[in-house]
Amino acid sequence: MKRLLPLLCLGALSCAVGPDYERPDIPQPAAWRDGTAEAASLADVEWWKLFGDPVLNGLIGNALAANFDVRLAVERVAEVRARLGFVRADLYPRLDAGAEAGVVRDSLEAAPLSPLIRDRDYQTYTLFGALSWELDLFGRIRRAVEAERAGLAAAEEDRHAAMVSVIAEVAQAYLDVRDLDARVEISKATVASRRSYVDLAKLRFEGGKTPEVDLRQAEAELGRVESILFDLERRLAEREHDLAFLLGRNPGPVPRGRPLAEIPIPPQIPPGLPAALLRRRPDIRGAEQRLVAANARIGEAEALLYPRIALTAQAGYSSIQLSEFLKSPAGFWEIIGGITAPIWDWGKNRARVQETEAVMRQAVILYERSIRQALRDVEDALVAYRKSVAILESNGRRTTAQRSVLNLSEARYRGGVSTYLEVLDAQRELFDAELQQAGALRDRIVSVVRLYRALGGGWEASPPE
């Protein structure tokens, strides 16, 4: 044991080969494209609650508990945590126990019988305990543990990313459903209006006041609007099914809350600083943890180029007579230290190091790409958020003006000043304007969802259990 103490101390004080992790220096802008550079960010809150819709809040809570992607991400974390456990176990000594009993026949030609054995056929009994421990002299196991620990952190970030994605997808699907609800109502009202015009055109045609073409044009317009209504109802049912799938449910109707026109929209949303994305976006954090793991794998591979030292100890009882099994002469023990060093493996270990270095370079590229993609997502979302206000106001003015045009055209038509074609054009323009106004309102609210998703915010406040 005194001779083994230096080896034990050497194992405890050994260092890990391979490079230590350093975060790559990737330049980032100090402010956003429009010059915004505020430390505050609304992404620090549960942003979906700003809409004030309890139904939406409940759907998001249900999705975080039942969505398939979130559940898979949770189980993936459990898988990686278990793998970390059995890799980390290699750092410590391993204790095994065994027992053997049987009948042996020795060869008289191979070796003479022992004086204690009077017959070629004899029984043997063995009971032993074995202790084995690989001294992690060059850090192979510690680097493997470091890689697995980073993999666990990456799996956690993947779970966070799945939550961000699911929250945004549920919110957008719900807003799409409410938008289609509004469009269906507009289309139904328009169909009712077109039917009244068909009745009016029929009366005027039968009374000899208008030609038959007015009646046929009114019927054609009614058919056009009805087909749009049927298509919107189809899309509404499909979007409800999408939302039900996100909730982990069978296809079917979903509950409704506040209409889009009653959902409050924050007038200003500070996006925070670009550098904050490094700590907020789970995809960036996950990419960095994979970079940490790839860096640790280099050290794990380099350690295979150096000798490996292992200690084994065994103690127990062995006897050819069961009655003498636990007596003192039957006891035995041994302590052995061994070293194994690679001499010639045709470049296998060196190629393994080169492989891990290539994986490391790929991880750096993926990490940089995740940062650039995050910056792009936020910039795109900021543009969409700001322009959605102007688009909504412009469509509002157009709808108001087109409604006035229709009123004037109807008055001229009833007074016999203009043809039905003028009314028909005004009806079409107003219908299109109303549908676009509903879509602009939906895009305005969805732009908030898109911006928060790009910022990576809102998930930290209520992670699933």
Side-chain angles (χ1 to χ4, degrees):
M1 290 299 295
K2 292 181 179 180
R3 297 176 181 176
L4 292 175
L5 285 177
L7 291 177
L8 297 176
C9 295
L10 183 62
L13 299 176
S14 60
C15 60
V17 298
D20 293 330
Y21 174 72
E22 293 183 5
R23 176 181 290 175
D25 185 15
I26 299 177
Q28 301 173 57
W32 302 108
R33 183 176 179 180
D34 63 349
T36 305
E38 305 176 42
S41 174
L42 284 182
D44 294 326
V45 301
E46 294 174 310
W47 52 267
W48 58 90
K49 293 185 177 180
L50 298 177
F51 295 151
D53 192 332
V55 174
L56 175 59
N57 298 341
L59 292 176
I60 289 177
N62 293 336
L64 290 178
N67 180 265
F68 298 109
D69 292 337
V70 173
R71 288 159 56 189
L72 285 173
V74 171
E75 295 304 325
R76 172 63 176 166
V77 171
E79 174 193 350
V80 179
R81 182 179 289 114
R83 186 165 62 242
L84 170 62
F86 68 72
V87 171
R88 186 168 49 195
D90 291 337
L91 287 170
Y92 308 103
R94 173 176 174 173
L95 180 62
D96 296 305
E100 295 178 352
V103 178
V104 178
R105 165 170 285 195
D106 279 343
S107 171
L108 296 178
E109 297 295 333
L113 293 176
S114 170
L116 298 178
I117 302 177
R118 301 173 182 176
D119 192 357
R120 297 179 61 191
D121 300 328
Y122 61 91
Q123 298 176 346
T124 178
Y125 305 92
T126 305
L127 177 66
F128 65 92
L131 183 69
S132 59
W133 184 22
E134 178 182 344
L135 298 181
D136 195 24
L137 188 62
F138 298 99
R140 180 186 67 83
I141 302 176
R142 279 172 290 161
R143 289 299 191 188
V145 171
E146 180 184 351
E148 294 297 338
R149 187 176 290 114
L152 176 59
E156 288 281 3
E157 298 304 334
D158 290 343
R159 179 175 68 89
H160 297 156
M163 292 169 58
V164 172
S165 178
V166 166
I167 291 171
E169 288 177 6
V170 169
Q172 183 161 342
Y174 177 78
L175 295 173
D176 288 345
V177 168
R178 300 304 286 142
D179 168 54
L180 290 168
D181 285 339
R183 296 189 185 210
V184 167
E185 291 302 319
I186 292 172
S187 299
K188 286 182 177 179
T190 304
V191 166
S193 174
R194 297 299 185 269
R195 285 174 179 166
S196 65
Y197 268 96
V198 169
D199 295 339
L200 176 62
K202 184 176 181 181
L203 290 175
R204 293 173 66 89
F205 167 66
E206 292 175 350
K209 295 182 179 180
T210 58
E212 183 180 359
V213 66
D214 289 359
L215 173 60
R216 303 312 172 198
Q217 286 177 334
E219 291 174 343
E221 176 63 12
L222 173 60
R224 186 183 76 90
V225 176
E226 284 180 336
S227 65
I228 293 176
L229 172 60
F230 299 149
D231 183 65
L232 289 172
E233 290 175 337
R234 174 191 60 81
R235 291 167 54 190
L236 175 59
E238 291 176 349
R239 205 66 178 114
E240 285 183 306
H241 300 164
D242 292 341
L243 183 53
F245 180 79
L246 290 172
L247 299 174
R249 303 175 181 174
N250 293 327
V254 295
R256 265 69 160 180
R258 307 178 68 171
L260 294 185
E262 298 179 7
I263 292 180
I265 304 176
Q268 295 290 335
I269 294 186
L273 297 173
L277 293 178
L278 294 180
R279 63 174 178 81
R280 187 185 306 281
R281 288 263 302 213
D283 56 337
I284 295 179
R285 290 161 43 163
E288 184 175 12
Q289 290 303 320
R290 291 182 177 87
L291 181 57
V292 174
N295 183 80
R297 294 297 183 191
I298 296 177
E300 181 185 6
E302 288 185 357
L304 295 175
L305 299 172
Y306 299 92
R308 299 172 64 178
I309 299 177
L311 300 178
T312 59
Q314 192 172 173
Y317 295 91
S318 180
S319 174
I320 62 173
Q321 297 180 7
L322 186 59
S323 60
E324 304 292 331
F325 181 60
L326 296 179
K327 294 184 178 180
S328 177
F332 73 92
W333 64 269
E334 63 180 18
I335 299 178
I336 301 174
I339 182 169
T340 303
I343 301 300
W344 184 259
D345 60 0
W346 301 96
K348 179 179 180 179
N349 288 335
R350 181 60 61 184
R352 184 182 287 110
V353 174
Q354 295 171 352
E355 176 194 10
T356 56
E357 290 174 343
V359 172
M360 172 67 177
R361 292 191 294 270
Q362 296 175 47
V364 173
I365 296 173
L366 293 175
Y367 176 62
E368 181 179 2
R369 186 179 72 172
S370 67
I371 295 177
R372 304 300 185 203
Q373 183 63 50
L375 294 171
R376 172 188 173 184
D377 292 343
V378 175
E379 291 287 7
D380 290 346
L382 285 172
V383 172
Y385 174 75
R386 296 181 183 118
K387 294 302 180 182
S388 65
V389 179
I391 294 173
L392 182 61
E393 293 176 351
S394 177
N395 276 298
R397 292 192 298 267
R398 178 196 173 192
T399 304
T400 302
Q402 200 59 48
R403 190 171 287 112
S404 298
V405 169
L406 178 59
N407 293 333
L408 294 174
S409 299
E410 288 175 342
R412 287 166 54 84
Y413 175 67
R414 295 178 187 276
V417 178
S418 64
T419 63
Y420 179 69
L421 185 59
E422 181 179 325
V423 176
L424 184 61
D425 290 339
Q427 289 175 337
R428 290 174 177 171
E429 292 294 330
L430 177 60
F431 181 51
D432 293 342
E434 289 176 338
L435 292 180
Q436 289 187 9
Q437 177 68 0
L441 179 59
R442 174 257 184 199
D443 292 342
R444 169 69 171 141
I445 304 176
V446 168
S447 68
V448 179
V449 177
R450 183 180 176 187
L451 179 56
Y452 273 114
R453 182 176 187 176
L455 293 174
W459 57 267
E460 292 178 304
S462 60
E465 295 183 0

